[in-house]
Amino acid sequence: MNFFFHLLQLLVFFLCFKQRLCFSATQAMVLPLKTETGLNSQPSNKISFHHNVTLTVELTVGSPPQAVTMVLDTGSELPWLNCKKKTQTLTSVFNPLSSSSYSRIPCISPICQKQTRDLPNPVVCDEEKLCDVFVSYADGSSLEGNLASDTFRIGSLNKPGTLFGCMGLGSSSNPQEDAKTTGLMGMNRGSLSFVTQLGLSKFSYCISGRDSSGVLILGEGNHSWVGNMAYTPLVQMSTPLPSYDRFAYTVKLEGIKVGNKILALEKSILVPDHSGAGQTMVDSGTQFTFLLGPVYTALKNEFLVQTKGVLVPLGDPNFVFQGAMDSCFRVPANQGKLPPLPAVSLMLNGAEMVVGGELLLYRVPGMVKGGDWVYCMTFGNSDLLGIAAFVIGNHHQQNLWMEYDLAKSRLGFVETRCDSAGQRLGLDP
């Protein structure tokens, strides 16, 4: 990160201290959560979330408060809310006209001139001379609106003046899923992210694989009972490159192992090239894990070799699940459970993320071949999506306690029963 970003962080922490607007380890949430006696001597901020394709957090915004549901996304920056008028299909919206604390940001504001991932450069103004915001995603969806501010309430904490995008135009690739959420909570390291605006030095979450629940902790917390974490450094790059996201949670991928065999990969393909393409990002807003084409092909081929006689390939070269996953298999519907499979290990700098068992395959909803279900490997080809990066999605983060330690610039994780973790932290079972 460059000097100006560090200066911004210091300014944010100073304002937090003076105005008592940011999280600290001594604050507790006023959401339907509680801390069990003896677990944390200094209760931290805990939020429950749910997930199917996305992880969602419930909070309130505006004056008087409006309940909103936001997608937890460590892969993006600017928080945004859907400010469209209510329709029959989209009822989860934020109404800025009903909030007395809502404020639109004009183009002449210094914050609008700031160069970030989600604010265009040069500045684009709408017809009312308001700061324009445009975000787009790899699936082809996009949103457009105005930069605004309002009071965000997370439990007992009020955070006036939180910047966000108030989105009213755009297209979506999944309108049914969007109807369940009001917006997106950008959690990367950018200057406009929720993490930076709240002055967080650490946050963590745990996603249950048994149901749709999980726990999110904002702040330090004390969760030593989860076991010893493995840590990998977050990669820093201050020089802007066209294909590199400097504010993502980037780690160093050093290799991939299938069973006990390490894939024969050129080391150069696992590191960013001269344009920045090839970084490895940890992204809670993406469901599956995606690998650059040559690496995906090597993994696919070795997985086929090691599962020969165990899994029956689909045999349809034209079928590609979600546009990027073409390693698919037939599993008898009456089989009950998947056969034993070789684990796939992502070998990171100082840590190893092991993906095994049912997390390796995903059943394609509604697709049946004869009397067989269709399952696809949960690793996809980044090239088919037009993503010039490795992306570790939330499916492979299930039942791992994931800790984002910004103060020490590292990512930690340890295998945990996340349903039990939620109960230990006072969540309803």
Side-chain angles (χ1 to χ4, degrees), residues 18 28 159 182 223 308 336 377:
K18 293 291 289 183
K159 180 64 174 67
T182 319
H223 41 75
K308 186 176 182 180
M377 188 169 64

Side-chain angles (χ1 to χ4, degrees), residues 104-407:
R104 301 186 296 180
I105 306 299
C107 267
I108 60 173
S109 170
I111 195 67
C112 188
Q113 311 293 326
K114 187 183 297 294
Q115 186 175 356
T116 76
R117 198 177 99 167
D118 295 325
L119 295 183
N121 187 29
V123 172
V124 174
C125 302
D126 67 10
E127 57 187 14
E128 297 182 68
K129 302 298 183 182
L130 298 174
C131 190
D132 193 68
V133 178
F134 180 84
V135 294
S136 60
Y137 299 98
D139 63 1
S141 61
S142 63
L143 287 165
E144 186 176 1
N146 297 122
L147 188 64
S149 69
D150 210 330
T151 299
F152 279 57
R153 294 174 178 84
I154 305 177
S156 59
L157 175 76
N158 288 354
K159 180 64 174 67
T162 300
L163 293 166
F164 68 100
C166 194
M167 304 306 204
L169 299 172
S171 62
S172 171
S173 63
N174 195 344
Q176 290 183 337
E177 197 62 40
D178 291 346
K180 302 174 185 177
T181 60
T182 319
L184 181 142
M185 183 183 291
M187 295 286 284
N188 74 5
R189 296 184 287 179
S191 61
L192 295 179
S193 79
F194 210 67
V195 172
T196 303
Q197 291 196 60
L198 267 64
L200 294 174
S201 61
K202 181 183 290 186
F203 67 94
S204 57
Y205 56 75
C206 200
I207 309 166
S208 173
R210 291 181 172 269
D211 52 30
S212 62
S213 66
V215 58
L216 167 68
I217 295 183
L218 300 177
E220 181 68 29
N222 180 5
H223 41 75
S224 58
W225 46 270
V226 302
N228 294 324
M229 287 201 178
Y231 287 98
T232 185
L234 292 172
V235 177
Q236 309 280 353
M237 182 176 289
S238 58
T239 305
L241 294 175
S243 300
Y244 192 93
D245 185 349
R246 290 183 295 148
F247 303 127
Y249 296 101
T250 301
V251 296
K252 184 179 180 182
L253 180 63
E254 297 184 333
I256 297 178
K257 187 165 56 175
V258 182
N260 294 320
K261 183 175 180 179
I262 298 176
L263 299 181
L265 300 170
E266 293 289 338
K267 293 297 182 183
S268 60
I269 203 171
L270 298 177
V271 296
D273 63 17
H274 65 281
S275 71
Q279 72 185 115
T280 300
M281 302 181 288
V282 181
D283 184 3
S284 69
T286 296
Q287 185 177 16
F288 298 114
T289 294
F290 298 96
L291 311 173
L292 292 180
V295 179
Y296 169 75
T297 300
L299 170 61
K300 171 184 173 180
N301 292 340
E302 182 59 32
F303 190 77
L304 286 171
V305 169
Q306 294 195 27
T307 57
K308 186 176 182 180
V310 177
L311 291 174
V312 178
L314 178 61
D316 183 355
N318 296 317
F319 180 74
V320 182
F321 180 51
Q322 292 195 358
M325 303 155 78
D326 63 358
S327 183
C328 302
F329 307 89
R330 298 176 61 154
V331 178
N334 60 2
Q335 184 168 298
K337 63 179 181 179
L338 295 173
L341 301 171
V344 175
S345 301
L346 302 177
M347 303 164 67
L348 306 176
N349 179 13
E352 194 169 300
M353 184 176 287
V354 180
V355 180
E358 295 184 354
L359 291 181
L360 285 166
L361 297 181
Y362 185 85
R363 184 163 67 87
V364 179
M367 187 170 179
V368 180
K369 284 284 187 178
D372 299 333
W373 297 117
V374 175
Y375 282 78
C376 293
M377 188 169 64
T378 51
F379 291 84
N381 188 338
S382 294
D383 293 0
L384 295 179
L385 293 179
I387 303 174
F390 300 93
V391 182
I392 301 174
N394 65 56
H395 185 77
H396 291 162
Q397 299 173 39
Q398 289 184 26
N399 282 321
L400 291 178
W401 190 282
M402 301 290 297
E403 179 183 277
Y404 295 74
D405 188 342
L406 282 72

Side-chain angles (χ1 to χ4, degrees), residues 62-64 66 95-100:
S63 304
Q66 298 179 44
N95 185 355
L97 298 179
S98 299
S99 174
S100 61

